Amino acid sequence: MDKNTNWPEFIKLTLDTPPRWLLKKALELCDGFSGHAIDLGCGSGLDTIALAKHGWTVTAVDSTPDGFENIQTKLPTELQDRVRYMQASFEDVDIPEADLVYSAFSVPFCRPEYFDQFWGKIVRAIKPGGRFCGNLFGVKDEWAYMTDATFITKERFDALFDGFEIEHFREQYSEGPSVLVPTKLWHLFDVVAKKS
């Protein structure tokens, strides 16, 4: 596994998966509120679709447009205008202001030398009272040998979320499946955090 993985193949394999549990947790914490969400690294768009169906307007961001058609195909006609599409790499993306920035297994695939700049864009984009929801990779992850992805310690995690109220947190260190490999050792920080 490296950053040059065939992402179109990944998207194809996830076309029909249900919304992720962490997104469901964030929607619970939003308690019926819906505003503007950014889906960073939207992939096949499964979570973009779920957000739009829950009343959110969504900017779906990905470096490849392969998943955009899946969103357009599966989203009911009356919800089509809730989604805007942006093809951009994390290193170059301009993130619009949002009530929720959501990232499922994607933010870590920003190159380390750009990560602080990218994270700054995320924090600035989130409105006061808005949320970040997503996963970050820990330094004990099996893929931590990758030089073009970002892996963090718990101390760095804490620093990244200075100025946020952590509403949900789980650190995982366990064997488990991945879409592209049968199993791997995961070291993950799953988080929903509200900006002060």
Side-chain angles (χ1 to χ4, degrees):
M1 171 71 185
D2 61 31
K3 198 181 178 187
N4 297 315
T5 294
N6 185 346
W7 291 118
E9 180 65 17
F10 173 87
I11 288 169
K12 191 190 304 180
L13 292 170
T14 59
L15 289 176
D16 296 311
T17 51
R20 293 179 175 92
W21 71 269
L22 193 57
L23 177 62
K24 293 177 182 178
K25 184 67 179 176
L27 291 174
E28 254 178 60
L29 290 164
C30 287
D31 195 25
F33 171 82
S34 58
H36 179 226
I38 311 293
D39 188 353
L40 285 174
C42 68
S44 64
L46 60 107
D47 292 319
T48 292
I49 293 166
L51 282 161
K53 286 182 174 179
H54 279 84
W56 292 75
T57 59
V58 188
T59 301
V61 180
D62 209 289
S63 60
T64 173
D66 294 61
F68 297 167
E69 184 180 344
N70 187 50
I71 299 169
Q72 292 162 348
T73 299
K74 292 185 176 168
L75 205 57
T77 305
E78 66 273 16
L79 301 182
Q80 293 283 341
D81 62 355
R82 288 194 182 162
V83 180
R84 175 178 170 238
Y85 303 93
M86 183 187 297
Q87 185 178 354
S89 70
F90 289 164
E91 290 82 3
D92 300 319
V93 68
D94 290 319
I95 306 173
E97 189 176 60
D99 301 288
L100 174 67
V101 172
Y102 173 72
S103 165
F105 300 96
S106 57
V107 161
F109 290 101
C110 179
R111 297 179 67 90
E113 62 267 32
Y114 292 99
F115 186 83
D116 287 341
Q117 177 185 346
F118 177 48
W119 188 257
K121 290 180 185 180
I122 291 172
V123 172
R124 287 190 295 276
I126 301 171
K127 297 177 184 178
R131 290 173 169 87
F132 175 85
C133 171
N135 326 89
L136 298 169
F137 289 169
V139 293
K140 296 176 184 175
D141 195 274
E142 185 175 318
W143 290 339
Y145 66 87
M146 295 166 57
T147 58
D148 52 4
T150 300
F151 300 84
I152 63 170
T153 62
K154 177 59 167 62
E155 290 73 23
R156 189 171 182 200
F157 172 91
D158 292 339
L160 291 175
F161 286 95
D162 184 40
F164 284 79
E165 173 195 349
I166 303 296
E167 297 181 299
H168 175 81
F169 174 78
R170 181 175 73 169
E171 182 175 1
Q172 297 184 63
Y173 185 63
S174 61
E175 289 270 346
S178 164
V179 172
L180 294 170
V181 295
T183 188
K184 68 175 287 281
L185 183 61
W186 292 98
H187 184 199
L188 287 174
F189 302 110
D190 301 322
V191 61
V192 182
K194 186 174 185 179
K195 188 176 179 182
S196 302

